[in-house]
Amino acid sequence: MKTPYKDIYNTLKLNRFIVMTVIIGATIISVVALILVVRQHQQMLDHAFAISTQGQVIPLEVASQQENLEVEALSHLELFHRGFYGIDAVNYEHQLEKALWLGNSSVDGLYRQKKADGVYNRLLQYSLVQKVRSVTSTVDVQKEPYAFQTVTIFEINRGTITDVYELTTTGHLIHVERNFPRNTHGLLITDFFEKSLKKIENN
């Protein structure tokens, strides 16, 4: 014989089953969502993103960024040293103007010192040609500011006489906003110092 109590009991059993099903389902969804969030967070730590010239989002691995930073730092240093030391009576103003955009007041101070010492006047007076043969740099990109040391081999042509010199410079690099075309690498030389200069005897 069917009683109202039996109907209530069955209804409560059904409600309990539904509640338990919802709780278990919600728990499973929460665990899965948590795993996905943790995985995505880990991927974000290992990757950065850049925007291409076409507007596409490009993932870059942190390791690749480190390599790219070293390449840009070396290129920045070569560009500066070739501009600052590869000068002649015709192009020196233009070359120095470009080089001064790549360094801070330490570079400007050295330029002013050289100017006061008459370096550029002698360049004009004797029509000297100062040509950079090679620029070799080492940069520590592990921590900003990035310490560097550069060895620049350059020659000074005095007509029939050519003297070759080895110049060692040191300093640091810091990040700044990129400035096209004046500072395309977005780096700035600080604490610039001419450590040593020696004449290389011709063989």
Side-chain angles (χ1 to χ4, degrees), residues 170-181:
T170 60
H172 293 87
L173 290 170
I174 60 172
H175 276 109
V176 294
E177 188 175 347
R178 293 179 190 267
N179 184 324
F180 296 91

PDB file of all heavy atoms in Angstrom, residues 170-181:
ATOM      1  N   THR A 170      85.078  50.435 -21.049  1.00  0.00           N
ATOM      2  CA  THR A 170      84.158  49.720 -20.156  1.00  0.00           C
ATOM      3  C   THR A 170      82.943  50.595 -19.878  1.00  0.00           C
ATOM      4  O   THR A 170      82.939  51.799 -20.161  1.00  0.00           O
ATOM      5  CB  THR A 170      84.837  49.362 -18.825  1.00  0.00           C
ATOM      6  OG1 THR A 170      85.260  50.571 -18.185  1.00  0.00           O
ATOM      7  CG2 THR A 170      86.031  48.450 -19.037  1.00  0.00           C
ATOM      8  N   GLY A 171      81.929  49.980 -19.292  1.00  0.00           N
ATOM      9  CA  GLY A 171      80.718  50.720 -18.943  1.00  0.00           C
ATOM     10  C   GLY A 171      79.569  49.788 -18.669  1.00  0.00           C
ATOM     11  O   GLY A 171      79.752  48.580 -18.455  1.00  0.00           O
ATOM     12  N   HIS A 172      78.374  50.349 -18.684  1.00  0.00           N
ATOM     13  CA  HIS A 172      77.155  49.565 -18.460  1.00  0.00           C
ATOM     14  C   HIS A 172      76.117  49.942 -19.504  1.00  0.00           C
ATOM     15  O   HIS A 172      76.182  51.013 -20.113  1.00  0.00           O
ATOM     16  CB  HIS A 172      76.584  49.827 -17.067  1.00  0.00           C
ATOM     17  CG  HIS A 172      77.457  49.333 -15.955  1.00  0.00           C
ATOM     18  ND1 HIS A 172      78.476  50.101 -15.416  1.00  0.00           N
ATOM     19  CD2 HIS A 172      77.469  48.144 -15.292  1.00  0.00           C
ATOM     20  CE1 HIS A 172      79.072  49.411 -14.461  1.00  0.00           C
ATOM     21  NE2 HIS A 172      78.492  48.224 -14.362  1.00  0.00           N
ATOM     22  N   LEU A 173      75.164  49.036 -19.685  1.00  0.00           N
ATOM     23  CA  LEU A 173      74.029  49.280 -20.573  1.00  0.00           C
ATOM     24  C   LEU A 173      72.744  49.208 -19.767  1.00  0.00           C
ATOM     25  O   LEU A 173      72.589  48.333 -18.911  1.00  0.00           O
ATOM     26  CB  LEU A 173      73.980  48.244 -21.703  1.00  0.00           C
ATOM     27  CG  LEU A 173      75.060  48.309 -22.774  1.00  0.00           C
ATOM     28  CD1 LEU A 173      74.996  47.078 -23.663  1.00  0.00           C
ATOM     29  CD2 LEU A 173      74.897  49.570 -23.613  1.00  0.00           C
ATOM     30  N   ILE A 174      71.824  50.123 -20.044  1.00  0.00           N
ATOM     31  CA  ILE A 174      70.506  50.080 -19.426  1.00  0.00           C
ATOM     32  C   ILE A 174      69.447  50.177 -20.519  1.00  0.00           C
ATOM     33  O   ILE A 174      69.719  50.658 -21.620  1.00  0.00           O
ATOM     34  CB  ILE A 174      70.307  51.220 -18.410  1.00  0.00           C
ATOM     35  CG1 ILE A 174      70.462  52.595 -19.090  1.00  0.00           C
ATOM     36  CG2 ILE A 174      71.266  51.077 -17.232  1.00  0.00           C
ATOM     37  CD1 ILE A 174      70.092  53.762 -18.203  1.00  0.00           C
ATOM     38  N   HIS A 175      68.248  49.714 -20.189  1.00  0.00           N
ATOM     39  CA  HIS A 175      67.141  49.805 -21.139  1.00  0.00           C
ATOM     40  C   HIS A 175      66.543  51.214 -21.142  1.00  0.00           C
ATOM     41  O   HIS A 175      66.371  51.821 -20.086  1.00  0.00           O
ATOM     42  CB  HIS A 175      66.043  48.804 -20.781  1.00  0.00           C
ATOM     43  CG  HIS A 175      66.283  47.433 -21.316  1.00  0.00           C
ATOM     44  ND1 HIS A 175      66.619  46.370 -20.530  1.00  0.00           N
ATOM     45  CD2 HIS A 175      66.251  46.952 -22.586  1.00  0.00           C
ATOM     46  CE1 HIS A 175      66.779  45.288 -21.264  1.00  0.00           C
ATOM     47  NE2 HIS A 175      66.574  45.618 -22.514  1.00  0.00           N
ATOM     48  N   VAL A 176      66.241  51.703 -22.315  1.00  0.00           N
ATOM     49  CA  VAL A 176      65.493  52.946 -22.488  1.00  0.00           C
ATOM     50  C   VAL A 176      64.473  52.702 -23.598  1.00  0.00           C
ATOM     51  O   VAL A 176      64.481  51.657 -24.253  1.00  0.00           O
ATOM     52  CB  VAL A 176      66.410  54.136 -22.872  1.00  0.00           C
ATOM     53  CG1 VAL A 176      67.347  54.484 -21.734  1.00  0.00           C
ATOM     54  CG2 VAL A 176      67.196  53.842 -24.147  1.00  0.00           C
ATOM     55  N   GLU A 177      63.609  53.665 -23.797  1.00  0.00           N
ATOM     56  CA  GLU A 177      62.618  53.531 -24.864  1.00  0.00           C
ATOM     57  C   GLU A 177      63.307  53.595 -26.227  1.00  0.00           C
ATOM     58  O   GLU A 177      64.196  54.418 -26.441  1.00  0.00           O
ATOM     59  CB  GLU A 177      61.585  54.650 -24.745  1.00  0.00           C
ATOM     60  CG  GLU A 177      60.409  54.483 -25.692  1.00  0.00           C
ATOM     61  CD  GLU A 177      59.336  55.539 -25.465  1.00  0.00           C
ATOM     62  OE1 GLU A 177      59.398  56.231 -24.431  1.00  0.00           O
ATOM     63  OE2 GLU A 177      58.444  55.653 -26.321  1.00  0.00           O
ATOM     64  N   ARG A 178      62.888  52.705 -27.114  1.00  0.00           N
ATOM     65  CA  ARG A 178      63.457  52.710 -28.468  1.00  0.00           C
ATOM     66  C   ARG A 178      63.119  54.010 -29.177  1.00  0.00           C
ATOM     67  O   ARG A 178      62.015  54.535 -29.049  1.00  0.00           O
ATOM     68  CB  ARG A 178      62.933  51.522 -29.283  1.00  0.00           C
ATOM     69  CG  ARG A 178      63.406  50.175 -28.759  1.00  0.00           C
ATOM     70  CD  ARG A 178      62.822  49.043 -29.594  1.00  0.00           C
ATOM     71  NE  ARG A 178      63.071  47.751 -28.984  1.00  0.00           N
ATOM     72  CZ  ARG A 178      64.111  46.972 -29.255  1.00  0.00           C
ATOM     73  NH1 ARG A 178      65.002  47.369 -30.140  1.00  0.00           N
ATOM     74  NH2 ARG A 178      64.261  45.817 -28.647  1.00  0.00           N
ATOM     75  N   ASN A 179      64.089  54.495 -29.928  1.00  0.00           N
ATOM     76  CA  ASN A 179      63.907  55.735 -30.667  1.00  0.00           C
ATOM     77  C   ASN A 179      64.392  55.494 -32.096  1.00  0.00           C
ATOM     78  O   ASN A 179      65.586  55.346 -32.336  1.00  0.00           O
ATOM     79  CB  ASN A 179      64.699  56.871 -30.001  1.00  0.00           C
ATOM     80  CG  ASN A 179      64.473  58.212 -30.657  1.00  0.00           C
ATOM     81  OD1 ASN A 179      64.324  58.319 -31.871  1.00  0.00           O
ATOM     82  ND2 ASN A 179      64.453  59.268 -29.863  1.00  0.00           N
ATOM     83  N   PHE A 180      63.456  55.409 -33.024  1.00  0.00           N
ATOM     84  CA  PHE A 180      63.820  55.169 -34.418  1.00  0.00           C
ATOM     85  C   PHE A 180      63.983  56.501 -35.126  1.00  0.00           C
ATOM     86  O   PHE A 180      63.099  57.364 -35.028  1.00  0.00           O
ATOM     87  CB  PHE A 180      62.743  54.329 -35.113  1.00  0.00           C
ATOM     88  CG  PHE A 180      62.594  52.945 -34.545  1.00  0.00           C
ATOM     89  CD1 PHE A 180      61.687  52.685 -33.520  1.00  0.00           C
ATOM     90  CD2 PHE A 180      63.384  51.905 -35.003  1.00  0.00           C
ATOM     91  CE1 PHE A 180      61.558  51.417 -32.988  1.00  0.00           C
ATOM     92  CE2 PHE A 180      63.257  50.628 -34.473  1.00  0.00           C
ATOM     93  CZ  PHE A 180      62.342  50.388 -33.462  1.00  0.00           C
ATOM     94  N   PRO A 181      65.076  56.733 -35.857  1.00  0.00           N
ATOM     95  CA  PRO A 181      66.195  55.804 -36.095  1.00  0.00           C
ATOM     96  C   PRO A 181      67.391  56.067 -35.180  1.00  0.00           C
ATOM     97  O   PRO A 181      68.445  55.504 -35.375  1.00  0.00           O
ATOM     98  CB  PRO A 181      66.572  56.133 -37.542  1.00  0.00           C
ATOM     99  CG  PRO A 181      66.336  57.617 -37.636  1.00  0.00           C
ATOM    100  CD  PRO A 181      65.162  57.919 -36.728  1.00  0.00           C
TER     101      PRO A 181
END
